[in-house]
Amino acid sequence: MDVFTLHNLIELSYNSLSYAALLFLLASGLSIIFGVMRIVNLAHAAFFLLGGYIALTTYRVLGTALWTLPVAMVVGGGVVAALSVFIERYFLRRLGQDTVAQVLVTIGFAFIFFDTNILIWTGDNYMLHRPWPLDDSTVIGGISFPRYRAFMILAAVLAWAILYFVIERTRAGAIVRATVDDPQMARGIGINTNVVQMSIYALGVFLSAMGGVVGGSFLGVAPGLDFQVLPYAFAVVIIGGLGSLTGAVVGSIVVGFMDNFGTALFPELSYFALFAPMAIILAVKPTGLFGRG
Amino acid sequence: MSQFSSELKRIIWVLAAFGVLAVVTPLLDDYTQTIIMRALVFAIMAMSLDILMGYTGLRSMGHGVYFAFGAYSAAILISTMKVTNLLAVFGVGLGLSALVAAFLGFLAIRAVGVYFLMITLSFSMVVWGLAYRWHTVTGGDNGIAGVIPPPIFGIPLTNPVAFFYFTFIIFMICLALLYLLVRSPFGKTLVGIREGEARMKMLGYNTWLHKYLAFVISGTFAGISGTLWAMLNRFIAPTDVELVTSVEALLMVALGGPATLVGPVIGAGIIMFLRYWVSTFIERWYVILGATYIITILYAREGILGKIEAFLAQRKARGEADAAISQVQEQPEELRT
């Protein structure tokens, strides 16, 4: 395929941007959780997939009208976030700042989810439906634009706007920023940092699971998908910088474009082209492009 | 003197245990033999990670990288290029993983704490990405089959018992070399760096160089284990070198007991036993694996070996106390106070 015709460039860019939007939903939570709690959450993609499975059940109960899509997003995100509160309270909080312990416990949960998913929803591959009118494409100037991809971009932009507003402009956001900057002082002025950390973990997981609901109509829902998307989530947060919301935006766009263009231009080395810059960025600036030390 | 004899006692125990393993394994059924061999191969990987994680305090999530280079180089040499010299296969696998570790060490050693974990994680992903997508060299998703071990000194390694002893001997050599390493002044310096890098720097040690050398040595041994793994399974695929492999090595070290060398061997044994034996009759064994991860961290952070030693020390202390009490009771009445 000749990538460099105007037609293909536009199509690839549209695909890249919509993929970047999904990556933002997946990875922004991972970044926020790391920024506030310093937890390397290897269960993050498992929460993403679990969101997709819960959407599957939600659609089975509610049917396939357009209004069920936002409902499924809230239900999927909410149920998984509630589960994550339990995990945070009774497991992660006991580990303190031991990174290896966090890594092993979160991947332990990822394995458990992997298996219980198969138990509940069998090992079949599902593609969640795309409600009308998102199930079709709009053709402009001979190029067809799938509408669902536009919806993914819209969802990500909305999520970003809400996050940005909450973190930068509200009192709750100020409390979170205070906890990140100086946890001891934050406790000193009466902030319950345990509650802050639990809420941030739940928020990050909510975003991921909501992303899983959106992504379920795009990537599908199947066992093992969690371990396939996990590297992408890490690529986004590492390139952008751990703990930075702007970084997550930039990281998603970089990874979205590099993956789509890389696959089109040099399929065999596309993963290398995606992950190698990540290693180099870390070697030069360990905190990532937008991260704070 | 007493410390020396307890060390000697421990060595004798370990050697006796492996002696029993060497005699008993060929008598067992094929599948159990395979599991024991897999455990031995992964034990080399876990011990090599222990040098980095347990002794030096560098927590790496990229140990699958050297394993991958060892395994894929063996697969490509044997299956694709039809090399029949086993020593050459090992030489290339070892050399390549050492070179890769020497290169990546330059990038990684600067980073500390969670950033070291992150950069080694990204190495893992780079190498997995190559294995998964670079079809022309790695066979992509399908992997490389037909990695049949060539004979060594005229002995055919296609015989399972011969291959077991071959694996066993290589394992024992690795164990001996790594034991000498951690006992050496170099090994003691690594522990010193783990406990207080600033202090070691003040004492005039080049801590960067020590960490770098530990990184390279550790990677080289992981390469050996990769080469053995490819030949043992006669097959290598991207699923063998994904992120989970590196995490599993971490678990083996944590489960057995970091900075003990023998602990990670036990950890490797338990995990391989779970993965290949328990999974044959328990359908939901991923739940068990996941629970093993969580329970290890919550209840056995210092590792199984740490638990056993704590138990033995407690018993010994109680025994000594009992002895002291009975000694007092045996004394003549007038000497008691």
Side-chain angles (χ1 to χ4, degrees):
Chain A
M1 171 169 132
D2 183 12
V3 172
F4 296 105
T5 62
L6 186 62
H7 179 281
N8 286 343
L9 269 182
I10 292 175
E11 201 171 74
L12 261 176
S13 302
Y14 180 65
N15 289 352
S16 305
L17 199 62
S18 52
Y19 191 51
L22 187 61
L23 288 176
F24 177 78
L25 290 177
L26 168 68
S28 54
L30 185 65
S31 190
I32 293 172
I33 288 172
F34 182 85
V36 178
M37 308 173 72
R38 300 275 138 179
I39 281 186
V40 181
N41 187 24
L42 284 191
H44 206 71
F47 291 130
F48 176 87
L49 182 60
L50 192 56
Y53 274 117
I54 288 172
L56 177 72
T57 303
T58 313
Y59 290 142
R60 278 178 181 167
V61 173
L62 296 180
T64 57
L66 182 61
W67 63 270
T68 58
L69 178 57
V71 170
M73 283 164 69
V74 173
V75 170
V79 169
V80 182
L83 184 67
S84 79
V85 165
F86 168 77
I87 291 173
E88 198 280 334
R89 175 66 187 84
Y90 292 102
F91 294 90
L92 297 180
R93 192 180 295 176
R94 294 171 59 173
L95 305 178
Q97 287 305 309
D98 186 340
T99 342
V100 168
Q102 295 163 357
V103 163
L104 294 177
V105 166
T106 49
I107 202 147
F109 277 107
F111 280 136
I112 291 177
F113 289 155
F114 175 85
D115 229 9
T116 44
N117 286 346
I118 295 177
L119 197 66
I120 300 172
W121 289 282
T122 75
D124 294 346
N125 294 1
Y126 302 97
M127 180 59 79
L128 301 187
H129 83 286
R130 299 174 181 185
W132 180 89
L134 302 175
D135 55 349
D136 207 354
S137 299
T138 304
V139 181
I140 304 171
I143 309 173
S144 90
F145 295 93
R147 285 179 205 148
Y148 194 79
R149 284 176 176 271
F151 168 74
M152 297 200 307
I153 297 173
L154 180 76
V157 169
L158 261 176
W160 172 81
I162 294 171
L163 278 177
Y164 183 83
F165 177 78
V166 170
I167 292 177
E168 299 294 333
R169 294 274 180 273
T170 65
R171 189 179 159 79
I175 289 172
V176 169
R177 279 179 287 136
T179 307
V180 175
D181 284 343
D182 192 339
Q184 217 169 356
M185 190 54 113
R187 276 192 293 275
I189 58 169
I191 293 172
N192 188 340
T193 50
N194 278 339
V195 172
V196 174
Q197 300 209 332
M198 187 198 267
S199 324
I200 284 296
Y201 195 69
L203 173 70
V205 171
F206 181 89
L207 282 167
S208 177
M210 196 183 76
V213 176
V214 175
S217 309
F218 180 70
L219 300 169
V221 178
L225 183 75
D226 40 357
F227 288 100
Q228 280 169 33
V229 297
L230 188 64
Y232 283 93
F234 274 105
V236 168
V237 298
I238 287 174
I239 288 175
L242 292 152
S244 153
L245 192 60
T246 319
V249 175
V250 175
S252 308
I253 292 173
V254 170
V255 173
F257 274 81
M258 283 209 315
D259 189 56
N260 275 278
F261 278 83
T263 310
L265 289 169
F266 30 82
E268 295 218 328
L269 295 178
S270 61
Y271 274 19
F272 184 74
L274 184 62
F275 297 135
M278 189 170 92
I280 292 164
I281 286 174
L282 272 176
V284 177
K285 191 170 182 297
T287 50
L289 287 180
F290 293 86
R292 294 188 297 178
Chain B
M1 183 63 207
S2 106
Q3 202 191 348
F4 175 74
S5 68
S6 83
E7 181 78 29
L8 196 69
K9 222 155 87 183
R10 203 176 299 170
I11 293 174
I12 291 169
W13 267 109
V14 170
L15 286 180
F18 285 119
V20 171
L21 189 75
V23 174
V24 169
T25 306
L27 309 173
L28 302 170
D29 62 291
D30 283 357
Y31 191 63
T32 315
Q33 272 185 41
T34 311
I35 296 174
I36 291 174
M37 284 192 270
R38 283 173 173 160
L40 284 174
V41 172
F42 254 89
I44 299 175
M45 165 99 155
M47 286 193 299
S48 72
L49 179 60
D50 196 23
I51 299 294
L52 211 54
M53 178 180 157
Y55 288 94
T56 319
L58 291 172
R59 278 93 167 268
S60 164
M61 268 186 31
H63 230 54
V65 169
Y66 320 105
F67 184 83
F69 272 93
Y72 270 98
S73 67
I76 290 163
L77 284 175
I78 294 173
S79 181
T80 318
M81 297 169 79
K82 311 291 177 208
V83 172
T84 52
N85 186 333
L86 189 71
L87 292 177
V89 172
F90 263 96
V92 171
L94 209 137
L96 202 59
S97 31
L99 270 178
V100 171
F103 171 66
L104 295 181
F106 271 115
L107 300 177
I109 295 296
R110 226 167 58 95
V112 290
V114 72
Y115 294 104
F116 183 81
L117 197 88
M118 280 303 191
I119 192 165
T120 48
L121 180 145
S122 71
F123 296 158
S124 260
M125 274 147 51
V126 170
V127 170
W128 170 80
L130 280 177
Y132 188 65
R133 283 275 174 95
W134 198 9
H135 290 269
T136 35
V137 174
T138 63
D141 222 358
N142 299 324
I144 300 175
V147 192
I148 294 158
I152 181 166
F153 307 130
I155 306 164
L157 289 181
T158 41
N159 177 320
V161 175
F163 194 80
F164 165 71
Y165 281 113
F166 175 69
T167 310
F168 183 77
I169 290 166
I170 290 190
F171 167 79
M172 289 308 283
I173 294 172
C174 291
L175 177 63
L177 288 176
L178 291 174
Y179 178 70
L180 291 176
L181 179 90
V182 300
R183 292 270 301 172
S184 70
F186 178 79
K188 302 287 180 208
T189 312
L190 294 183
V191 175
I193 291 171
R194 181 192 72 196
E195 294 299 320
E197 187 170 353
R199 199 174 297 178
M200 293 303 279
K201 257 187 201 155
M202 289 289 285
L203 289 171
Y205 287 94
N206 185 342
T207 56
W208 183 89
L209 189 65
H210 278 82
K211 290 201 284 188
Y212 180 72
L213 288 176
F215 193 89
V216 176
I217 292 169
S218 166
T220 312
F221 278 91
I224 296 175
S225 114
T227 302
L228 277 171
W229 184 255
M231 291 196 293
L232 168 62
N233 295 320
R234 302 185 177 182
F235 175 69
I236 185 76
T239 46
D240 286 329
V241 301
E242 62 193 4
L243 187 60
V244 172
T245 311
S246 298
V247 177
E248 210 160 67
L250 274 180
L251 175 68
M252 288 169 183
V253 178
L255 176 62
T260 55
L261 221 48
V262 181
V265 176
I266 300 172
I270 294 173
I271 298 302
M272 286 293 131
F273 172 79
L274 267 181
R275 182 175 269 280
Y276 293 107
W277 194 68
V278 173
S279 68
T280 51
F281 55 86
I282 294 180
E283 210 186 332
R284 301 264 74 87
W285 81 279
Y286 262 105
V287 171
I288 294 176
L289 186 68
T292 311
Y293 275 81
I294 296 165
I295 291 167
T296 301
I297 293 305
L298 292 186
Y299 299 107
R301 268 236 234 161
E302 69 276 42
I304 286 177
L305 219 56
K307 285 261 180 231
I308 294 173
E309 278 185 354
F311 174 74
L312 289 180
Q314 199 184 6
R315 220 178 56 167
K316 196 177 159 200
R318 195 176 300 155
E320 276 168 4
D322 287 347
I325 289 167
S326 57
Q327 214 173 6
V328 169
Q329 282 167 344
E330 279 161 18
Q331 279 170 352
E333 189 79 31
E334 60 271 21
L335 282 178
R336 289 195 203 167
T337 49

